[in-house]
Amino acid sequence: MNVPKYLLFLTFAGFVMAVVSGVPGFAYAALIPGTTLALSYLFEPPAGFSIEREIDGDSTSIGRTLTVRVRLRARRGSGVVVARDHVSPGLEIIEGSNRRVFLKPPGKELAVEYTYKLRGTKRGRHTVSPVEVEGHSLLRNMQPSYAVFGRTEVVRVAPKIRNVPRVFVSRLFSKITAGEPGYSHIGNPSTDFKEIRDYRPGDPLRAVNWKATARTGRALVNEYEPEGRTTAMLFIDATSTMSAGGKGSTAIENAVGLAISLVRALLRINLRVGLYVIGPGKFETPRSGAAAMENFSRLLASVGVSGREESLNGAVEKVKKALMGKEPVTILITNLTPSNLYEAKEAVKMMKRISGRNKAVVVDLNPYWTISDELGSLAHYQKLRFGEELATEIVHWDVSREPEGVVLKKILGAMNGVRHGRR
């Protein structure tokens, strides 16, 4: 228990001056600090806390906000109440504060509510800690009370998906018949499994999945990809070169956001889409349909710069057999540097061989603008030269200088160009 020394000094000094000088006014003046000191011991620090906290969702996407509401009660004591929690760096507080201070009057219950807003700035799993509450006496001369409420809340932040109007994508890929979502009556079925779905009138008996039907009690059938449907194969570089860029805007973060928007645009017009993450070696075979988007989103949400180095051409070689005969439009998303230029050239050659009549598209990110304009400008001109050496359709993206939606449309246009042999 800490006794405020300055109050003791003022109290005793007043009485001493009154005795020494014979002026009673000094004694009266000493009553003020003395009374304050006495009252500070009459009431214990605030206690009897209860906390209720609500977060309006456990998932969001980059740039979107969540509201946190906290209801606090203190039933006993008097003094200052401090409430706070701690937020992961991937969540930014954009309105309000997660640390609040309130005054608890004597003999009256404190009941307050406060809110603050969070914005996701980095994809992944982020946390909001339990709420800590402290109760202090007004003069902090007594042992404070302390309590922790709730649990650690996990907030999942997903990449932001940019929407491209379906009519825009459909015009670019006008030769592809885009059936109704969930149907695959485009050409004869192939041997490429798509998904298990509910039986529809007209489905052949041989398509019934008897095991799944017996397990669920519903008539279910195996659906296969139709022959002749265009396939798009994405290769996303997650090696060390993708760690370049400013805080919160590295090449890998931008690549993942771009990839998930591109996948969604292509699935919306019923293309088969495959995905390979270079580095960790994660591979999703080409597929289509609504269920595919969930698989791709889950895979991409966990992608970061890998500690395992894998060559760009080695990655294409690894999935070559799975793509042979499909003649996919191939897309490589990377950060071209002198150290991986040779690999990129070899990868493009292999992508062209796999694509057959189609060719390859390379998306080259320039994340150096987020560090400085001078560095971004130097990298821009170097990357233009690298692009010429690749001898294929290339889309340059000056990150932070050009909106993601604009780049997405450029990629779709480049994909359409290689399908029709423009380059």
Short mmCIF file of all heavy atoms in Angstrom, two decimals, residues 101-139:
data_model
loop_
_atom_site.label_atom_id
_atom_site.label_comp_id
_atom_site.label_asym_id
_atom_site.label_seq_id
_atom_site.Cartn_x
_atom_site.Cartn_y
_atom_site.Cartn_z
N VAL A 101 -10.55 4.21 -20.43
CA VAL A 101 -10.44 4.55 -19.01
C VAL A 101 -11.76 5.16 -18.56
O VAL A 101 -12.30 6.07 -19.21
CB VAL A 101 -9.28 5.56 -18.76
CG1 VAL A 101 -9.22 5.92 -17.28
CG2 VAL A 101 -7.96 4.97 -19.24
N PHE A 102 -12.30 4.67 -17.43
CA PHE A 102 -13.58 5.14 -16.90
C PHE A 102 -13.43 5.46 -15.41
O PHE A 102 -12.58 4.88 -14.72
CB PHE A 102 -14.67 4.08 -17.08
CG PHE A 102 -14.85 3.63 -18.51
CD1 PHE A 102 -14.25 2.45 -18.95
CD2 PHE A 102 -15.59 4.38 -19.39
CE1 PHE A 102 -14.41 2.03 -20.25
CE2 PHE A 102 -15.76 3.96 -20.71
CZ PHE A 102 -15.16 2.79 -21.13
N LEU A 103 -14.29 6.37 -14.91
CA LEU A 103 -14.30 6.75 -13.50
C LEU A 103 -15.47 6.06 -12.82
O LEU A 103 -16.62 6.21 -13.24
CB LEU A 103 -14.42 8.27 -13.36
CG LEU A 103 -14.35 8.81 -11.92
CD1 LEU A 103 -12.97 8.51 -11.31
CD2 LEU A 103 -14.63 10.32 -11.91
N LYS A 104 -15.18 5.27 -11.80
CA LYS A 104 -16.21 4.56 -11.04
C LYS A 104 -16.54 5.37 -9.79
O LYS A 104 -15.70 5.53 -8.88
CB LYS A 104 -15.70 3.17 -10.65
CG LYS A 104 -16.50 2.45 -9.57
CD LYS A 104 -17.84 1.98 -10.09
CE LYS A 104 -18.50 1.03 -9.09
NZ LYS A 104 -18.86 1.65 -7.80
N PRO A 105 -17.75 5.95 -9.69
CA PRO A 105 -18.12 6.74 -8.51
C PRO A 105 -18.44 5.82 -7.33
O PRO A 105 -18.82 4.66 -7.51
CB PRO A 105 -19.37 7.50 -8.96
CG PRO A 105 -19.96 6.63 -10.03
CD PRO A 105 -18.81 5.94 -10.71
N PRO A 106 -18.31 6.32 -6.10
CA PRO A 106 -18.62 5.49 -4.93
C PRO A 106 -20.12 5.25 -4.81
O PRO A 106 -20.93 6.12 -5.09
CB PRO A 106 -18.09 6.32 -3.75
CG PRO A 106 -18.06 7.73 -4.25
CD PRO A 106 -17.78 7.64 -5.72
N GLY A 107 -20.47 4.00 -4.41
CA GLY A 107 -21.86 3.68 -4.15
C GLY A 107 -22.73 3.54 -5.38
O GLY A 107 -23.95 3.42 -5.27
N LYS A 108 -22.17 3.55 -6.55
CA LYS A 108 -22.96 3.45 -7.77
C LYS A 108 -22.26 2.49 -8.74
O LYS A 108 -21.05 2.55 -8.92
CB LYS A 108 -23.11 4.84 -8.40
CG LYS A 108 -24.04 4.85 -9.61
CD LYS A 108 -24.20 6.28 -10.13
CE LYS A 108 -25.13 6.31 -11.33
NZ LYS A 108 -25.28 7.68 -11.88
N GLU A 109 -23.05 1.62 -9.37
CA GLU A 109 -22.49 0.65 -10.31
C GLU A 109 -22.08 1.34 -11.61
O GLU A 109 -22.78 2.23 -12.12
CB GLU A 109 -23.53 -0.43 -10.62
CG GLU A 109 -23.02 -1.49 -11.59
CD GLU A 109 -24.06 -2.56 -11.88
OE1 GLU A 109 -24.27 -3.44 -11.02
OE2 GLU A 109 -24.67 -2.50 -12.97
N LEU A 110 -20.92 0.96 -12.12
CA LEU A 110 -20.46 1.47 -13.41
C LEU A 110 -20.91 0.50 -14.50
O LEU A 110 -20.60 -0.70 -14.44
CB LEU A 110 -18.93 1.58 -13.43
CG LEU A 110 -18.29 1.95 -14.77
CD1 LEU A 110 -18.65 3.39 -15.16
CD2 LEU A 110 -16.78 1.77 -14.71
N ALA A 111 -21.66 0.98 -15.48
CA ALA A 111 -22.11 0.16 -16.61
C ALA A 111 -21.90 0.97 -17.88
O ALA A 111 -22.59 1.96 -18.12
CB ALA A 111 -23.57 -0.24 -16.46
N VAL A 112 -20.93 0.56 -18.68
CA VAL A 112 -20.59 1.31 -19.89
C VAL A 112 -20.44 0.35 -21.08
O VAL A 112 -20.24 -0.86 -20.89
CB VAL A 112 -19.27 2.10 -19.72
CG1 VAL A 112 -19.45 3.23 -18.74
CG2 VAL A 112 -18.14 1.18 -19.30
N GLU A 113 -20.53 0.89 -22.26
CA GLU A 113 -20.31 0.13 -23.49
C GLU A 113 -19.46 0.97 -24.43
O GLU A 113 -19.68 2.18 -24.56
CB GLU A 113 -21.64 -0.22 -24.16
CG GLU A 113 -21.48 -0.98 -25.48
CD GLU A 113 -22.80 -1.40 -26.08
OE1 GLU A 113 -23.76 -1.68 -25.31
OE2 GLU A 113 -22.90 -1.45 -27.33
N TYR A 114 -18.48 0.34 -25.06
CA TYR A 114 -17.66 1.05 -26.05
C TYR A 114 -17.41 0.15 -27.25
O TYR A 114 -17.52 -1.08 -27.17
CB TYR A 114 -16.36 1.55 -25.42
CG TYR A 114 -15.41 0.47 -24.97
CD1 TYR A 114 -14.42 -0.03 -25.81
CD2 TYR A 114 -15.47 -0.03 -23.67
CE1 TYR A 114 -13.53 -1.00 -25.39
CE2 TYR A 114 -14.59 -1.00 -23.23
CZ TYR A 114 -13.61 -1.48 -24.09
OH TYR A 114 -12.73 -2.45 -23.66
N THR A 115 -17.09 0.77 -28.37
CA THR A 115 -16.83 0.03 -29.61
C THR A 115 -15.56 0.55 -30.26
O THR A 115 -15.14 1.69 -30.03
CB THR A 115 -17.99 0.18 -30.61
OG1 THR A 115 -18.10 1.55 -31.02
CG2 THR A 115 -19.31 -0.29 -30.01
N TYR A 116 -14.97 -0.30 -31.07
CA TYR A 116 -13.90 0.13 -31.96
C TYR A 116 -13.94 -0.74 -33.21
O TYR A 116 -14.55 -1.82 -33.21
CB TYR A 116 -12.53 0.09 -31.28
CG TYR A 116 -12.05 -1.27 -30.84
CD1 TYR A 116 -11.25 -2.06 -31.68
CD2 TYR A 116 -12.35 -1.75 -29.56
CE1 TYR A 116 -10.79 -3.30 -31.25
CE2 TYR A 116 -11.89 -2.99 -29.14
CZ TYR A 116 -11.10 -3.75 -29.99
OH TYR A 116 -10.64 -4.98 -29.57
N LYS A 117 -13.33 -0.26 -34.28
CA LYS A 117 -13.40 -0.95 -35.57
C LYS A 117 -12.02 -1.41 -36.02
O LYS A 117 -11.03 -0.68 -35.88
CB LYS A 117 -14.04 -0.05 -36.63
CG LYS A 117 -15.52 0.21 -36.39
CD LYS A 117 -16.17 0.96 -37.54
CE LYS A 117 -17.66 1.12 -37.29
NZ LYS A 117 -18.32 1.83 -38.42
N LEU A 118 -12.00 -2.63 -36.56
CA LEU A 118 -10.78 -3.24 -37.07
C LEU A 118 -10.85 -3.37 -38.58
O LEU A 118 -11.93 -3.59 -39.14
CB LEU A 118 -10.58 -4.63 -36.47
CG LEU A 118 -10.47 -4.76 -34.96
CD1 LEU A 118 -10.47 -6.22 -34.57
CD2 LEU A 118 -9.21 -4.07 -34.47
N ARG A 119 -9.71 -3.25 -39.22
CA ARG A 119 -9.63 -3.49 -40.67
C ARG A 119 -8.52 -4.50 -40.93
O ARG A 119 -7.41 -4.38 -40.40
CB ARG A 119 -9.36 -2.19 -41.42
CG ARG A 119 -9.22 -2.41 -42.94
CD ARG A 119 -9.18 -1.08 -43.66
NE ARG A 119 -8.07 -0.26 -43.19
CZ ARG A 119 -7.97 1.05 -43.41
NH1 ARG A 119 -8.92 1.68 -44.05
NH2 ARG A 119 -6.91 1.73 -42.97
N GLY A 120 -8.82 -5.51 -41.74
CA GLY A 120 -7.80 -6.49 -42.10
C GLY A 120 -6.78 -5.88 -43.05
O GLY A 120 -7.15 -5.28 -44.06
N THR A 121 -5.50 -6.00 -42.71
CA THR A 121 -4.45 -5.44 -43.57
C THR A 121 -3.54 -6.53 -44.14
O THR A 121 -2.79 -6.26 -45.07
CB THR A 121 -3.57 -4.46 -42.78
OG1 THR A 121 -2.98 -5.13 -41.66
CG2 THR A 121 -4.40 -3.28 -42.29
N LYS A 122 -3.63 -7.72 -43.58
CA LYS A 122 -2.77 -8.82 -44.04
C LYS A 122 -3.54 -10.12 -43.92
O LYS A 122 -4.16 -10.38 -42.89
CB LYS A 122 -1.49 -8.87 -43.20
CG LYS A 122 -0.47 -9.87 -43.71
CD LYS A 122 0.79 -9.82 -42.86
CE LYS A 122 1.84 -10.80 -43.38
NZ LYS A 122 3.07 -10.77 -42.54
N ARG A 123 -3.51 -10.93 -44.95
CA ARG A 123 -4.26 -12.18 -44.91
C ARG A 123 -3.63 -13.15 -43.91
O ARG A 123 -2.46 -13.03 -43.56
CB ARG A 123 -4.31 -12.82 -46.30
CG ARG A 123 -2.98 -13.22 -46.83
CD ARG A 123 -3.03 -13.65 -48.28
NE ARG A 123 -1.68 -13.83 -48.77
CZ ARG A 123 -0.95 -14.91 -48.55
NH1 ARG A 123 -1.46 -15.92 -47.88
NH2 ARG A 123 0.28 -15.00 -49.00
N GLY A 124 -4.45 -14.07 -43.46
CA GLY A 124 -3.99 -15.05 -42.49
C GLY A 124 -4.88 -15.08 -41.26
O GLY A 124 -5.98 -14.49 -41.24
N ARG A 125 -4.44 -15.76 -40.22
CA ARG A 125 -5.17 -15.87 -38.96
C ARG A 125 -4.58 -14.87 -37.96
O ARG A 125 -3.39 -14.92 -37.65
CB ARG A 125 -5.05 -17.30 -38.40
CG ARG A 125 -5.81 -18.33 -39.21
CD ARG A 125 -5.33 -19.73 -38.87
NE ARG A 125 -5.43 -20.02 -37.46
CZ ARG A 125 -6.47 -20.57 -36.85
NH1 ARG A 125 -7.52 -20.91 -37.59
NH2 ARG A 125 -6.49 -20.81 -35.57
N HIS A 126 -5.42 -13.98 -37.48
CA HIS A 126 -4.99 -12.97 -36.52
C HIS A 126 -5.84 -13.07 -35.27
O HIS A 126 -6.93 -13.66 -35.28
CB HIS A 126 -5.08 -11.58 -37.15
CG HIS A 126 -4.37 -11.48 -38.46
ND1 HIS A 126 -3.00 -11.51 -38.57
CD2 HIS A 126 -4.83 -11.35 -39.74
CE1 HIS A 126 -2.66 -11.43 -39.84
NE2 HIS A 126 -3.74 -11.32 -40.56
N THR A 127 -5.35 -12.48 -34.19
CA THR A 127 -6.03 -12.67 -32.91
C THR A 127 -6.36 -11.35 -32.22
O THR A 127 -5.70 -10.34 -32.42
CB THR A 127 -5.15 -13.51 -31.96
OG1 THR A 127 -3.89 -12.86 -31.76
CG2 THR A 127 -4.91 -14.91 -32.53
N VAL A 128 -7.40 -11.42 -31.39
CA VAL A 128 -7.76 -10.36 -30.45
C VAL A 128 -7.72 -11.01 -29.07
O VAL A 128 -8.43 -11.98 -28.81
CB VAL A 128 -9.14 -9.77 -30.74
CG1 VAL A 128 -9.45 -8.65 -29.76
CG2 VAL A 128 -9.22 -9.26 -32.18
N SER A 129 -6.88 -10.50 -28.18
CA SER A 129 -6.65 -11.14 -26.88
C SER A 129 -7.86 -11.00 -25.97
O SER A 129 -8.76 -10.19 -26.23
CB SER A 129 -5.42 -10.51 -26.21
OG SER A 129 -5.75 -9.21 -25.72
N PRO A 130 -7.90 -11.76 -24.86
CA PRO A 130 -8.94 -11.53 -23.85
C PRO A 130 -8.86 -10.09 -23.31
O PRO A 130 -7.83 -9.42 -23.43
CB PRO A 130 -8.59 -12.55 -22.75
CG PRO A 130 -7.82 -13.62 -23.46
CD PRO A 130 -7.05 -12.91 -24.54
N VAL A 131 -9.95 -9.64 -22.72
CA VAL A 131 -10.01 -8.27 -22.19
C VAL A 131 -9.43 -8.25 -20.78
O VAL A 131 -9.84 -9.03 -19.91
CB VAL A 131 -11.45 -7.74 -22.16
CG1 VAL A 131 -11.48 -6.30 -21.65
CG2 VAL A 131 -12.07 -7.82 -23.55
N GLU A 132 -8.47 -7.36 -20.55
CA GLU A 132 -7.88 -7.16 -19.23
C GLU A 132 -8.52 -5.93 -18.59
O GLU A 132 -8.69 -4.90 -19.24
CB GLU A 132 -6.38 -6.94 -19.33
CG GLU A 132 -5.63 -8.09 -19.99
CD GLU A 132 -4.16 -7.75 -20.17
OE1 GLU A 132 -3.53 -7.30 -19.19
OE2 GLU A 132 -3.66 -7.90 -21.30
N VAL A 133 -8.86 -6.06 -17.30
CA VAL A 133 -9.48 -4.95 -16.58
C VAL A 133 -8.70 -4.70 -15.30
O VAL A 133 -8.39 -5.64 -14.56
CB VAL A 133 -10.96 -5.23 -16.24
CG1 VAL A 133 -11.61 -4.01 -15.60
CG2 VAL A 133 -11.73 -5.66 -17.47
N GLU A 134 -8.38 -3.44 -15.04
CA GLU A 134 -7.69 -3.04 -13.81
C GLU A 134 -8.53 -1.99 -13.09
O GLU A 134 -9.13 -1.11 -13.73
CB GLU A 134 -6.31 -2.45 -14.12
CG GLU A 134 -5.32 -3.44 -14.68
CD GLU A 134 -3.97 -2.79 -14.96
OE1 GLU A 134 -3.84 -1.57 -14.70
OE2 GLU A 134 -3.07 -3.49 -15.42
N GLY A 135 -8.56 -2.10 -11.76
CA GLY A 135 -9.24 -1.10 -10.94
C GLY A 135 -8.25 -0.42 -10.02
O GLY A 135 -7.55 -1.10 -9.26
N HIS A 136 -8.14 0.89 -10.11
CA HIS A 136 -7.19 1.65 -9.28
C HIS A 136 -7.94 2.64 -8.40
O HIS A 136 -8.92 3.26 -8.84
CB HIS A 136 -6.21 2.44 -10.17
CG HIS A 136 -5.37 1.57 -11.05
ND1 HIS A 136 -4.16 1.04 -10.65
CD2 HIS A 136 -5.57 1.13 -12.32
CE1 HIS A 136 -3.64 0.32 -11.63
NE2 HIS A 136 -4.47 0.36 -12.66
N SER A 137 -7.47 2.82 -7.18
CA SER A 137 -8.00 3.89 -6.34
C SER A 137 -7.57 5.23 -6.93
O SER A 137 -6.60 5.30 -7.72
CB SER A 137 -7.47 3.75 -4.91
OG SER A 137 -6.06 3.79 -4.89
N LEU A 138 -8.29 6.27 -6.57
CA LEU A 138 -8.03 7.58 -7.19
C LEU A 138 -6.59 8.03 -6.99
O LEU A 138 -5.98 8.63 -7.88
CB LEU A 138 -8.99 8.62 -6.62
CG LEU A 138 -10.43 8.54 -7.14
CD1 LEU A 138 -11.30 9.55 -6.40
CD2 LEU A 138 -10.47 8.80 -8.64
N LEU A 139 -6.03 7.76 -5.85
CA LEU A 139 -4.66 8.19 -5.57
C LEU A 139 -3.64 7.08 -5.79
O LEU A 139 -2.47 7.25 -5.51
CB LEU A 139 -4.56 8.70 -4.13
CG LEU A 139 -5.46 9.88 -3.78
CD1 LEU A 139 -5.27 10.26 -2.32
CD2 LEU A 139 -5.15 11.07 -4.68
#
